[in-house]
């Protein structure tokens, strides 16, 4: 049942035909600037929820690409396809930061039969860096801030946990990874379409942007920055673009012509400098700057803006000179600068204030107190 709403106006005020009467907006005073910043614990949980969810998605995408290469080339040692497969398995170890992984002499058995370890990196929550571990940590962080999230979040979270916890040995790894990616994409969609752009959202999005930028930098450092034979390089570059969900744009640009860029430079440009690509490092830092502006940040914002300027000033020809040593140095510096930006956010917003009074600490030692 609805009721009529009457707006009283001064009957003596003259009105012209078709005049629209001014009515105060119901949303007046509810802009992002009107929201209080969340408490340190809440801000930290939102931030790490964003980071862990993005980490799980990046790992799942890379593992899916690696699994495809293993299916195609594991039984063909000595071929260029097998060399590309080994390169991407090495990238899995570097990007996911799992040791020993597929690198080193102790990893010979894993390189000879990669599928069991790829499965562990997907499903074993005890391995720090695995898809299951990152997803579980995202769920824990989300549960701590239930009041800040959409109700639909729990439909997606519960499905993700069921997919990873109830997988059977005979289940196809590709299907498991696809189901996981679908769930994580749904979670990202909720963040885009269902959350108000307030400081709470800004912290969750900042975590996502920092993590995606770091993951992409690691991917570029382990694939694009390593010089290989042209045939192997073509396969590994395409694999990196697949993992970064940018291969369609890359192929379209190849067809349209790259101007003065080589194919490899075009791939690096797309994943590093292109501010229109939602998967590029530049795009992440741009969004990070916007989020920090939303929370009126003064600690990390100058650092993030400096990274934006640093990326904008990169020269592709210079990066590929001298066996790509400048590219390696640039990626290392960007990764370091992003970590420093993260530390500034952590210090400014996640550290709880020390109590205003001194607390005595007692240690019992042989029946005597020591202060």
């Amino acid at each position: 049942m609805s009721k009529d709403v009457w707006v009283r106006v001064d009957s003596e005020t003259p009105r012209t035909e078709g005049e629209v009467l001014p009515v105060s907006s119901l949303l007046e005073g509810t802009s992002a600037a009107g929201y209080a910043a969340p408490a340190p614990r809440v801000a930290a949980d939102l931030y790490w929820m964003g980071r862990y969810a993005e980490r799980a998605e990046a790992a799942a995408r890379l593992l899916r690409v690696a699994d495809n290469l293993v299916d195609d080339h594991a039984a063909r040692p000595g071929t260029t396809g097998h060399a590309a497969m080994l390169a991407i398995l090495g990238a899995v170890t570097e990007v996911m930061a799992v040791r020993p992984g597929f690198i080193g002499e102790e990893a010979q058995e894993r390189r000879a039969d990669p599928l069991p370890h790829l499965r562990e990196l997907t499903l074993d929550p005890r391995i720090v860096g695995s898809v299951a571990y990152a997803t579980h940590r995202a769920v824990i962080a989300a549960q701590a801030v239930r009041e800040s999230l959409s109700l639909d979040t729990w439909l997606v979270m519960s499905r993700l946990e069921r997919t990873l916890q109830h997988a059977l040995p005979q289940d196809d790894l590709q299907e498991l990874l696809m189901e996981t990616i679908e769930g994580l994409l749904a979670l990202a969609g909720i963040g885009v379409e269902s959350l108000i752009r307030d400081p709470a959202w800004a912290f969750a999005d900042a975590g996502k942007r920092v993590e995606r930028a770091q993951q992409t930098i690691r991917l570029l450092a382990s694939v694009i920055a390593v010089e290989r034979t042209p045939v192997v390089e073509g396969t590994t570059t395409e694999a990196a673009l697949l993992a970064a969900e940018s291969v369609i744009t890359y192929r379209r640009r190849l067809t349209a012509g790259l101007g003065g860029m080589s194919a490899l430079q075009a791939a690096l440009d797309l994943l590093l400098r292109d501010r229109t690509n939602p998967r590029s490092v530049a795009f992440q830092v741009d969004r990070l700057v916007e989020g920090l502006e939303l929370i009126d940040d003064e600690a990390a914002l100058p650092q993030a803006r400096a990274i934006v300027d640093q990326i904008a000033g990169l020269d592709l020809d210079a990066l590929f000179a001298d066996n790509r040593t400048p590219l390696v140095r640039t990626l290392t510096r960007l990764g370091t600068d992003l970590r420093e930006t993260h530390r500034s956010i952590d210090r400014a917003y996640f550290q709880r204030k020390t109590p205003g009074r001194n607390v005595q600490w007692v240690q019992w030692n042989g029946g005597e107190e020591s202060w």
Side-chain angles (χ1 to χ4, degrees):
M1 183 176 71
S2 62
K3 297 181 178 179
D4 292 335
V5 177
W6 296 84
V7 180
R8 298 182 61 186
V9 295
D10 187 352
S11 59
E12 297 180 359
T13 302
R15 287 185 287 136
T16 59
E17 186 178 353
E19 179 183 5
V20 178
L21 297 177
V23 179
S24 297
S25 170
L26 295 175
L27 298 179
E28 188 175 353
T30 61
S31 63
Y35 289 98
R41 179 194 61 80
V42 175
D45 285 328
L46 287 164
Y47 178 85
W48 281 106
M49 180 193 72
R51 286 203 68 164
Y52 277 121
E54 184 59 35
R55 189 174 301 178
E57 183 186 335
R61 289 184 180 280
L62 184 56
L63 288 168
R64 180 173 167 238
V65 172
D67 183 55
N68 273 329
L69 288 172
V70 168
D71 285 344
D72 292 340
H73 302 293
R76 303 173 185 174
T79 63
T80 54
H82 191 270
M85 179 201 78
L86 292 177
I88 295 303
L89 290 177
V92 167
T93 301
E94 296 291 351
V95 174
M96 296 180 64
V98 286
R99 299 289 179 178
F102 296 103
I103 296 177
E105 293 183 4
E106 65 273 22
Q108 280 186 333
E109 285 188 23
R110 292 193 183 97
R111 288 196 296 269
D113 185 17
L115 285 177
H117 191 50
L118 291 178
R119 196 174 187 86
E120 288 175 347
L121 292 178
T122 302
L123 299 173
D124 193 342
R126 297 168 298 180
I127 298 177
V128 177
S130 71
V131 176
Y133 178 88
T135 301
H136 182 60
R137 299 300 300 181
V139 171
I140 290 175
Q143 288 172 340
V145 288
R146 298 180 72 96
E147 69 283 355
S148 300
L149 303 175
S150 165
L151 295 177
D152 291 340
T153 302
W154 310 110
L155 298 175
V156 177
M157 290 284 196
S158 60
R159 182 184 174 189
L160 273 171
E161 287 198 300
R162 284 197 304 270
T163 298
L164 295 169
Q165 291 177 2
H166 299 215
L168 300 174
Q170 64 269 24
D171 288 344
D172 182 68
L173 183 58
Q174 280 288 313
E175 292 183 7
L176 288 172
L177 289 168
M178 279 306 303
E179 287 183 27
T180 302
I181 292 170
E182 286 174 8
L184 291 164
L185 287 174
L187 188 62
I190 291 171
V192 171
E193 298 295 338
S194 300
L195 298 183
I196 292 174
R197 295 325 191 244
D198 62 358
W201 170 85
F203 281 112
D205 194 66
K208 172 181 179 178
R209 301 306 172 183
V210 169
E211 186 66 31
R212 184 177 290 181
Q214 285 280 23
Q215 294 286 331
T216 304
I217 288 170
R218 289 179 184 172
L219 184 65
L220 292 171
S222 57
V223 178
I224 305 294
V226 180
E227 202 165 6
R228 300 182 174 92
T229 64
V231 178
V232 173
E233 206 161 62
T235 303
T236 56
T237 300
E238 185 113 337
L241 289 160
L242 278 167
E245 188 57 20
S246 299
V247 72
I248 299 300
T249 302
Y250 174 74
R251 290 172 180 169
R252 190 168 65 242
R253 290 182 180 180
L254 281 180
T255 303
L258 300 174
M261 288 191 292
S262 68
L264 199 61
Q265 287 178 329
L268 179 65
D269 182 63
L270 182 60
L271 293 180
L272 181 59
R273 299 194 313 173
D274 193 332
R275 302 177 77 167
T276 65
N277 179 15
R279 297 281 170 174
S280 75
V281 178
F283 187 94
Q284 310 319 310
V285 184
D286 282 344
R287 301 293 81 73
L288 177 61
V289 166
E290 291 175 2
L292 293 173
E293 289 173 344
L294 181 62
I295 59 177
D296 293 327
D297 171 78
E298 296 179 357
L301 186 56
Q303 294 170 299
R305 285 174 173 160
I307 297 174
V308 170
D309 295 337
Q310 182 181 336
I311 295 173
L314 294 176
D315 178 80
L316 292 177
D317 291 328
L319 291 176
F320 281 91
D322 193 19
N323 297 322
R324 303 180 196 175
T325 301
L327 176 56
V328 174
R329 290 174 181 166
T330 297
L331 294 173
T332 301
R333 185 169 66 252
L334 285 172
T336 300
D337 291 346
L338 272 170
R339 283 190 294 273
E340 286 302 318
T341 304
H342 156 75
R343 292 189 185 104
S344 295
I345 295 172
D346 180 83
R347 287 191 297 266
Y349 302 104
F350 305 157
Q351 302 296 324
R352 299 183 183 183
K353 295 181 180 179
T354 55
R357 57 189 178 86
N358 293 328
V359 178
Q360 291 180 318
W361 175 71
V362 181
Q363 179 183 4
W364 292 93
N365 185 12
E368 298 180 358
E369 297 178 4
S370 59
W371 299 87

